[in-house]
Amino acid sequence: MIHKHHRPSGAVVFGDLDLAPRGGVVWHDGSVTDHAVQPRAERGRPRAAAAHRPDLSATEQILDAAAQLFVERGFAATSTRAIADRVGIRQASLYYHFPSKEQILKVLLMRTVEPSTRVAAYLDAAPASAVVRLAALISFDTDQLARSAHNLGTLYFLPEIRNDLLEPFRIERARLRDTYAALIAASVEAEVRADLGPAGSAGSESGLDYLVDVVFGLVESVIAIRADRPDEDADALVATILYSCLRVLGHDGAGGRRITEHARELLEARPAESIP
Amino acid sequence: MIHKHHRPSGAVVFGDLDLAPRGGVVWHDGSVTDHAVQPRAERGRPRAAAAHRPDLSATEQILDAAAQLFVERGFAATSTRAIADRVGIRQASLYYHFPSKEQILKVLLMRTVEPSTRVAAYLDAAPASAVVRLAALISFDTDQLARSAHNLGTLYFLPEIRNDLLEPFRIERARLRDTYAALIAASVEAEVRADLGPAGSAGSESGLDYLVDVVFGLVESVIAIRADRPDEDADALVATILYSCLRVLGHDGAGGRRITEHARELLEARPAESIP
């Protein structure tokens, strides 16, 4: 049996952002995102119609409706008017919260990586071997991609992903990939390292670069699998992906099971402030 | 060192379709696609402007321009007018070849799977063990996704993929996945099978289902990796993905290397008519 990891209590379903007192968004490294991206605080403005998701704040309702429409109809085919209509607010009210459709996309995309970079920061200093920390990151990251509302990861394939405005997202995701690269370099078994060897003439580390592509690709493959087979059990999928990543790196059998178990404990031991 | 497989000579870059005498498209199983999808034969119609790719037939120029625009700008944001403009023909001429933008998308998507289902049909009767045939399929399929013009696989994430008109594509891709599932079931090592066990209560084969998701996901992860890192060497990427798939299934070390070598020989031994 694969030892499924239990989701740590309070595990994020839709990502989250810290709101700093002055209204900026604070990332795990202390950097603050410019105010334009920042969803504004609630002001209780009148609604044009009944709210689509009355359990959420207006900002969250806009984000949720936009995510659903972007994934269902495409980004280009979705107007801010359509988003406002779905929430049940006037278009002018939407612009009060977000200056543009692109800014909504930026917040949504940030939420697909930010919880994982925050966990990566916790794991960076955690008292465990590299492979256990890697397994914890794979497990957390796959899990939150597997559970994001509306499978937000499909937005990675939008042509608009190359928009200048989305550079902070691309930087944040590249940073996450760098964390993977460092942990993989310290985790890969000697046998696998020897098999990979130098790929081409670009130097001795390049075989490893492709392994990083594949492990990062395996984690994000959960997006495509969900899109194809929405009924698959998220726990089983996350467990199978972690199992496969560990085998690829040379950790199988009892060793792989121990790593999986320690990774689960490491995630459960997170202090509350690192839980998004 | 990973033993890179050399691309069989004549390996497909952009897929291909057989044109039957009566103008239908014949698939590997002998079924014929309806005429509406079928690019019409050349008639030497006058051009409004210089052709964008004068080395290709008008039909192929339309497909190539459409693929590029769909991937660069998105499907919804691309008009048939924009496609015609890029080819340098009048919009009316485009409609002579294709009745709609959706039909162009259908042909493009078919081309991402059809070469692989054709190779799968050859491998079905090939004199080799299941794991060698699976490795040959993974290698061929990954390779052609890695080299498709404009990374066509990104179109899998279009919201329009659920369009009724695209059902033949979804059926063809499901058929390819079924081939993977059968070969994986016959290839997975006992140790891995025991690790997977029954996932949940859905029966003893369901652990294997998730492994099929992951292996199929690993093959298609080449699409996301290419989108992210267009400069990666396709040979090295294909080899690393095959290596990783084999490890996931429990075939590593000298056994894995032998399988990879046999798979290469099997692909090279294909009769000319199965080479797209």
Side-chain angles (χ1 to χ4, degrees), chain A residues 18-42:
Chain A
D18 274 332
L19 301 184
R22 66 188 182 88
V25 177
V26 181
W27 302 99
H28 78 277
D29 62 351
S31 67
V32 177
T33 306
D34 60 291
H35 190 272
V37 187
Q38 157 65 11
R40 296 200 202 172
E42 293 305 296

Side-chain angles (χ1 to χ4, degrees), chain A residues 1-2 195 213 232 243, chain B residues 1-2 195 213 228 232 243:
Chain A
M1 279 294 287
I2 283 185
D195 283 344
D213 280 345
E232 297 293 54
Y243 175 83
Chain B
M1 280 293 289
I2 283 186
D195 283 342
D213 280 345
D228 255 9
E232 296 293 56
Y243 174 83

Side-chain angles (χ1 to χ4, degrees), chain A residues 54-76:
Chain A
D55 53 317
L56 302 176
S57 71
T59 298
E60 289 302 322
Q61 285 181 52
I62 292 167
L63 288 167
D64 187 69
Q68 191 169 9
L69 288 166
F70 292 165
V71 171
E72 271 175 16
R73 302 186 189 172
F75 181 76

Side-chain angles (χ1 to χ4, degrees), chain B residues 220-245:
Chain B
E220 292 193 343
S221 74
V222 74
I223 297 163
I225 296 170
R226 266 186 82 181
D228 255 9
R229 309 174 82 79
D231 296 334
E232 296 293 56
D233 178 76
D235 276 334
L237 200 46
V238 170
T240 309
I241 287 175
L242 175 58
Y243 174 83
S244 300
C245 287

Side-chain angles (χ1 to χ4, degrees), chain A residues 1-2 72-74 159 162 173 177 191 194-195 198 210 213 228-229 232-233 240 243 247-248 257, chain B residues 1-2 72-74 159 162 173 177 191 194-195 198 210 213 225 228-229 232-233 240 243 247 257:
Chain A
M1 279 294 287
I2 283 185
E72 271 175 16
R73 302 186 189 172
R162 294 182 288 267
R173 187 152 163 270
R177 191 184 184 280
E191 176 207 345
D195 283 344
Y210 292 99
D213 280 345
D228 255 10
R229 309 174 83 79
E232 297 293 54
D233 177 75
T240 309
Y243 175 83
R247 284 200 77 93
V248 167
R257 284 190 289 277
Chain B
M1 280 293 289
I2 283 186
E72 270 173 18
R73 300 185 191 172
R162 296 182 287 268
R173 185 150 163 273
R177 190 186 185 279
E191 176 208 345
D195 283 342
Y210 292 99
D213 280 345
I225 296 170
D228 255 9
R229 309 174 82 79
E232 296 293 56
D233 178 76
T240 309
Y243 174 83
R247 285 200 76 93
R257 285 190 287 275

Side-chain angles (χ1 to χ4, degrees), chain B:
Chain B
M1 280 293 289
I2 283 186
H3 291 253
K4 291 185 196 167
H5 89 274
H6 295 92
R7 294 176 67 206
S9 58
V12 69
V13 170
F14 193 59
D16 197 15
L17 297 173
D18 272 331
L19 300 184
R22 70 188 180 86
V25 177
V26 181
W27 302 100
H28 78 276
D29 62 352
S31 67
V32 176
T33 306
D34 60 290
H35 190 274
V37 188
Q38 157 63 15
R40 296 201 200 174
E42 293 305 296
R43 292 286 171 85
R45 288 175 66 91
R47 297 290 164 75
H52 180 64
R53 291 279 313 263
D55 53 317
L56 302 176
S57 72
T59 298
E60 289 301 322
Q61 285 181 53
I62 292 166
L63 288 167
D64 186 69
Q68 191 170 7
L69 288 166
F70 292 166
V71 172
E72 270 173 18
R73 300 185 191 172
F75 181 76
T78 300
S79 61
T80 50
R81 173 64 187 271
I83 299 167
D85 282 352
R86 183 162 293 196
V87 176
I89 58 175
R90 288 168 307 171
Q91 199 171 2
S93 305
L94 183 145
Y95 284 117
Y96 174 79
H97 294 276
F98 295 96
S100 69
K101 201 171 70 162
E102 285 72 19
Q103 293 285 10
I104 298 176
L105 179 62
K106 179 171 169 177
V107 173
L108 289 172
L109 287 173
M110 278 296 200
R111 287 183 172 195
T112 67
V113 287
E114 198 278 335
S116 295
T117 51
R118 198 183 310 192
V119 165
Y122 157 70
L123 292 172
D124 192 40
S129 65
V131 69
V132 167
R133 289 182 286 143
L134 174 64
L137 180 59
I138 290 169
S139 165
F140 181 87
D141 199 13
T142 311
D143 190 85
Q144 66 117 20
L145 289 172
R147 293 177 204 279
S148 74
H150 315 300
N151 200 8
L152 283 172
T154 58
L155 303 176
Y156 290 179
F157 296 92
L158 286 173
E160 290 82 1
I161 208 83
R162 296 182 287 268
N163 190 313
D164 282 349
L165 196 67
L166 296 178
E167 203 189 349
F169 158 70
R170 292 193 298 272
I171 291 172
E172 193 73 4
R173 185 150 163 273
R175 202 186 287 188
L176 180 59
R177 190 186 185 279
D178 287 345
T179 304
Y180 271 98
L183 289 173
I184 288 168
S187 299
V188 61
E189 287 282 75
E191 176 208 345
V192 176
R193 193 183 291 273
D195 283 342
L196 292 171
S201 54
S204 64
E205 286 308 304
S206 61
L208 200 56
D209 286 345
Y210 292 99
L211 199 68
V212 174
D213 280 345
V214 167
V215 172
F216 200 60
L218 243 168
V219 166
E220 292 193 343
S221 74
V222 74
I223 297 163
I225 296 170
R226 266 186 82 181
D228 255 9
R229 309 174 82 79
D231 296 334
E232 296 293 56
D233 178 76
D235 276 334
L237 200 46
V238 170
T240 309
I241 287 175
L242 175 58
Y243 174 83
S244 300
C245 287
L246 289 175
R247 285 200 76 93
V248 167
L249 298 170
H251 300 280
D252 42 56
R257 285 190 287 275
R258 263 196 308 275
I259 291 164
T260 303
E261 180 60 24
H262 287 164
R264 190 182 62 73
E265 290 164 6
L266 199 60
L267 278 180
E268 283 179 350
R270 276 186 301 157
E273 64 268 24
S274 81
I275 296 176

Side-chain angles (χ1 to χ4, degrees), chain A residues 163-235:
Chain A
N163 191 314
D164 281 349
L165 197 65
L166 297 177
E167 205 189 345
F169 158 70
R170 292 193 299 272
I171 290 172
E172 193 73 2
R173 187 152 163 270
R175 202 186 289 188
L176 180 59
R177 191 184 184 280
D178 287 344
T179 304
Y180 272 98
L183 289 173
I184 288 168
S187 299
V188 60
E189 286 283 74
E191 176 207 345
V192 175
R193 192 183 290 271
D195 283 344
L196 292 170
S201 54
S204 64
E205 285 308 303
S206 60
L208 199 57
D209 286 344
Y210 292 99
L211 199 69
V212 174
D213 280 345
V214 167
V215 171
F216 199 60
L218 243 168
V219 166
E220 292 193 344
S221 74
V222 74
I223 297 164
I225 296 170
R226 268 186 83 179
D228 255 10
R229 309 174 83 79
D231 296 334
E232 297 293 54
D233 177 75
D235 275 334

